[in-house]
Amino acid sequence: MELIVTESYDELSRRAAELFAGLVLELPEAAVVAATGNTPMGMYKELARLAERGELDCSRLRVFQLDAYLGVPPSDSRSLEGWTLRSFVLPLGARRDRFVPLRGDAPDPERECREYESAVRKAGGFDVAILGLGPNGHLGFNEPPSDPGARTRLVEIAEESLESNARYWGGRDRVPRWALTAGMDLLLSARRILLLVSGETKREVLRRTVEGPACPDVPSSYLATLPQATILADRAARG
Ligand code: F6R
């Protein structure tokens, strides 16, 4: 694992965007899984600027949704499919017909998870995973405890995650209690992993992520064991 500490959130966003743009140059057809949440939004804006200026071509990427709230259709403002499309796929000029959703409103969620895994495998696995760090070390909605082999599945959202997700939707009672998430096994086997971490509230969980020990109670701690993982943290998060 490589740890990059930046002085500010803006610098974090720029560095992450540069790294990702370099990966797209190397592999224009990369299979990319992209987190929602607040942290990567600065990076996505940088990438959108590069794409607008013609300095980044994302038209051949295959983008995968990372996670979804159970029972929430794409038309709902809380849809993470909608968030991924609005913040990442469309502004970067990636093609919507190459986007693979994880449908939280699928009639059979278990089957949806198996089909999603098949689609990822068919693409040869993830080339790049862009992830944020949950307050409890979750990656996607792989809540503690999650072991490194955890599959794509239906999960109950942890209390701490409900609290942190309340920021997005104006209150905790607006946050669904269950979610579908890409599994740890898929995320940890991505060929490159970028974990973005910002702000003082993430300091302790970042410390446990970086310093270990790697354990299911802090799912993100497995990243520290992987050579292909880069953690980008701002000074507020790393201290
Ligand atoms: C989002 C996701 C989550 C977030 C994490 C951090 O798709 O899967 O794991 O990345 O909760 O969220 P922020 O960046 O809002 O602190």
Side-chain angles (χ1 to χ4, degrees), residues 35-39 66-67 132-134 138 140 167-168 202:
T36 56
N38 289 335
T39 315
L66 173 62
D67 44 16
L133 179 61
H138 75 204
R167 294 171 296 159
Y168 313 143
K202 300 283 176 71

Side-chain angles (χ1 to χ4, degrees), residues 37 62 66-67 73 88 99 131 140 162 202 222 225 235:
R62 181 170 290 268
L66 173 62
D67 44 16
F88 190 81
F99 170 69
L131 302 174
L162 290 173
K202 300 283 176 71
Y222 290 107
T225 66
R235 182 68 62 200

Side-chain angles (χ1 to χ4, degrees), residues 9-141:
Y9 174 72
D10 287 349
E11 193 193 339
L12 169 86
S13 303
R14 270 197 308 278
R15 290 287 295 275
E18 279 163 16
L19 266 175
F20 181 76
L23 295 173
V24 176
L25 259 188
E26 276 171 32
L27 200 59
E29 295 182 9
V32 179
V33 62
T36 56
N38 289 335
T39 315
M41 293 305 125
M43 170 194 184
Y44 296 172
K45 285 195 183 115
E46 285 293 328
L47 290 172
R49 267 194 281 276
L50 293 176
E52 237 169 65
R53 293 201 297 257
E55 293 168 22
L56 174 68
D57 178 5
C58 293
S59 61
R60 288 154 68 198
L61 293 183
R62 181 170 290 268
V63 180
F64 290 77
Q65 187 176 330
L66 173 62
D67 44 16
Y69 294 123
L70 181 69
V72 171
S75 57
D76 190 302
S77 58
R78 296 165 301 173
S79 162
L80 300 185
E81 175 177 344
W83 194 349
T84 309
L85 288 170
R86 281 191 309 276
S87 65
F88 190 81
V89 175
L90 301 175
L92 270 61
R95 273 173 41 191
R96 200 178 166 149
D97 61 352
R98 290 175 65 77
F99 170 69
V100 181
L102 179 59
R103 294 206 187 282
D105 64 337
D108 181 345
E110 290 301 338
R111 183 170 168 185
E112 175 68 8
C113 292
R114 297 292 76 80
E115 288 179 358
Y116 176 90
E117 286 191 336
S118 302
V120 177
R121 296 230 160 79
K122 203 167 147 207
F126 293 135
D127 294 299
V128 187
I130 306 170
L131 302 174
L133 179 61
N136 54 0
H138 75 204
L139 299 175
F141 276 121

Side-chain angles (χ1 to χ4, degrees), residues 173-195:
D173 52 349
R174 299 250 309 138
V175 184
R177 298 197 67 92
W178 291 80
L180 274 56
T181 183
M184 291 290 283
D185 60 342
L186 291 184
L187 299 179
L188 298 180
S189 53
R191 284 175 200 87
R192 282 302 303 272
I193 302 168
L194 306 179
L195 177 74

